[in-house]
Amino acid sequence: MDSKLVFSGVQPTGNLHLGNYLGAVKRFVELQDADTMCIYCLVDLHAITNWQDPKELRRNTIEVTAAFLACGLRQENSIIFNQSQVSTHTELAWIFNCVARIGWLNRMTQFKEKAGKNRENASLGLYCYPTLMAADILAYHATHVPVGEDQKQHLELTRDIAMKFNNDFKTPGFFPIPEPIIEGTATRIMSLRDGTKKMSKSEASEMSRINLTDDSDSIRKKIQKAKTDPFEIPSVKEELVNRPEAENLLGIYATLANQSIEKTLEQFSGSDFKKLKDELSDILISELDPINKEIKKLLNEETYIVEILRMGSEEADHISRPILQKTREIVGFLK
Ligand code: AQP
């Protein structure tokens, strides 16, 4: 096993969609299979920064864990757990709230987008979401964090917190400065209804996203109805500028076919969107259908899933507890 330590998290706020799968979970599986120590967390504390129905939160935590397993994460190779069972995260987050500066948090674009115009009424948790995320990562001294493009700014804040802590307490290198892993052709999958918006769980329209739980008919229907433009598919990448929907569909196809965007343009150049949509539906169904079936099967084994999270939480606590203890000593807290 190499010396990297990978950490990442997913909010249990609904079914995982194609963006979560291609931008995050598929990468988690590749890293796990590359013989790297990997810790993957269902970030339920992050989920409640926006109100969640308690029954739904519980159900979503089980469902997202089932999706992790169905996508290929294995308990033998990765630590899989839910954040709220490991209290080191919140304890370290408080210390980081006292390290991070208000000015840093004021620059976070995700808070601005999510709070919208009603900022005064947003939860305090939503505002300090990034310091909890820093604690999630640094509680394990993680060195690498696979995420989608939307998390880049939060990762930069994590790095700033680690550097300021090490500097303020004169403990160079105590917290490693984690590297983001934001690579490949699927770091930002866009909505099927609007190619300028990211595909997201919280978008009202179900037609905007492909869920991992969608059956073949829904996948085909959503792709057939995906927004496009009146032009034919071009032959060069430069001609995709200002055509976000075309770029998105071609990008998804390229990722699933494991080929470059140039090769994909060569394949579809000059044809209309019907051909692209038919072939995209086929390739999506062949990738997602086995996952969909496996999720359904696993959802009948709730006790097994709850047990995986319990065991994962024990392991996560075992790794993060001594790091928190050392942090407490550095800060000057009595034992
Ligand atoms: N559209 C996307 N394309 C590529 N990667 C994505 N990710 C999310 N959306 C895309 C990556 O998936 C991981 C888990 O994301 P998350 O659970 O923190 O949150 P979310 O899926 O972004 O949540 P929503 O509800 O879909 O979106 P919002 O919160 O914007 O409404 C992360 O690594 C993320 O980068």
Side-chain angles (χ1 to χ4, degrees):
M1 193 164 278
D2 61 31
S3 60
K4 272 193 207 164
L5 197 153
V6 168
F7 179 95
S8 198
V10 172
Q11 297 186 71
T13 42
N15 289 325
L16 293 193
H17 51 72
L18 188 65
N20 299 135
Y21 174 63
L22 295 177
V25 184
K26 202 167 182 209
R27 327 284 313 285
F28 297 176
V29 177
E30 286 160 9
L31 285 159
Q32 160 200 269
D33 295 345
D35 210 18
T36 302
M37 165 92 171
C38 293
I39 305 179
Y40 297 123
C41 183
L42 288 289
V43 289
D44 47 7
L45 296 170
H46 283 282
I48 63 162
T49 54
N50 278 315
W51 194 83
Q52 303 293 319
D53 178 309
K55 278 202 194 113
E56 287 278 304
L57 179 62
R58 190 175 192 286
R59 170 141 198 88
N60 286 332
T61 306
I62 302 287
E63 277 196 15
V64 175
T65 312
F68 271 14
L69 300 173
C71 291
L73 289 182
R74 293 285 161 263
Q75 190 191 12
E76 305 79 54
N77 304 342
S78 296
I79 297 177
I80 303 166
F81 73 105
N82 62 309
Q83 190 187 23
S84 62
Q85 289 202 66
V86 183
S87 64
T88 51
H89 293 236
T90 40
E91 289 183 58
L92 191 58
W94 179 257
I95 296 174
F96 288 166
N97 279 343
C98 302
V99 173
R101 305 292 89 184
I102 289 178
W104 298 359
L105 286 151
N106 282 344
R107 287 197 281 278
M108 295 297 112
T109 51
Q110 194 178 83
F111 174 75
K112 290 180 196 161
E113 280 163 20
K114 286 198 172 181
K117 291 201 178 83
N118 201 8
R119 206 178 287 187
E120 293 287 307
N121 210 25
S123 75
L124 188 54
L126 188 64
Y127 184 71
C128 57
Y129 181 113
T131 55
L132 177 59
M133 179 164 155
D136 298 337
I137 296 164
L138 297 173
Y140 300 91
H141 280 181
T143 58
H144 290 79
V145 187
V147 279
E149 176 73 35
D150 59 316
Q151 292 300 325
K152 191 167 179 232
Q153 197 185 31
H154 289 167
L155 240 306
E156 279 159 11
L157 191 110
T158 298
R159 291 164 60 89
D160 289 342
I161 290 176
M163 282 188 256
K164 184 160 165 37
F165 182 98
N166 290 345
N167 206 34
D168 286 356
F169 293 98
K170 302 195 174 33
T171 48
F174 175 65
F175 283 119
I177 313 303
E179 293 290 336
I181 309 181
I182 307 175
E183 290 163 358
T185 42
T187 57
R188 196 168 175 84
I189 301 291
M190 309 311 275
S191 157
L192 299 178
R193 309 299 293 162
D194 177 351
T196 63
K197 281 193 187 159
K198 136 184 133 91
M199 185 177 284
S200 125
K201 303 186 206 98
S202 49
E203 167 68 45
S205 167
E206 273 292 320
M207 296 303 283
S208 70
R209 63 184 160 261
I210 304 285
N211 295 315
L212 297 191
T213 48
D214 284 343
D215 61 21
S216 309
D217 288 348
S218 324
I219 294 177
R220 213 171 276 287
K221 191 168 149 210
K222 287 180 182 181
I223 294 296
Q224 294 314 321
K225 290 202 176 287
K227 187 176 168 198
T228 51
D229 58 40
F231 310 108
E232 61 181 32
I233 314 266
S235 54
V236 288
K237 219 168 137 184
E238 291 66 35
E239 286 179 34
L240 284 173
V241 174
N242 296 329
R243 298 183 62 187
E245 286 83 16
E247 190 178 11
N248 190 38
L249 295 182
L250 286 158
I252 297 172
Y253 186 92
T255 307
L256 291 167
N258 205 11
Q259 66 186 28
S260 67
I261 196 82
E262 287 79 5
K263 172 97 193 5
T264 308
L265 284 169
E266 212 176 281
Q267 186 177 336
F268 292 103
S269 149
S271 63
D272 60 15
F273 279 97
K274 180 166 181 330
K275 179 172 154 63
L276 171 62
K277 284 182 166 182
D278 285 347
E279 295 197 24
L280 179 56
S281 300
D282 291 345
I283 202 168
L284 266 169
I285 291 166
S286 72
E287 176 97 9
L288 298 186
D289 195 49
I291 295 177
N292 174 307
K293 292 203 170 91
E294 187 62 19
I295 293 176
K296 283 200 182 113
K297 210 169 93 193
L298 285 162
L299 287 177
N300 293 320
E301 300 173 42
E302 193 173 314
T303 325
Y304 166 67
I305 290 179
V306 169
E307 185 56 11
I308 286 188
L309 294 175
R310 192 195 60 74
M311 288 196 287
S313 299
E314 266 180 24
E315 282 183 84
D317 191 80
H318 184 73
I319 299 172
S320 57
R321 188 69 47 195
I323 294 174
L324 176 70
Q325 188 50 39
K326 183 74 192 150
T327 312
R328 289 172 52 95
E329 283 166 31
I330 291 171
V331 170
F333 294 151
L334 295 184
K335 277 203 173 168

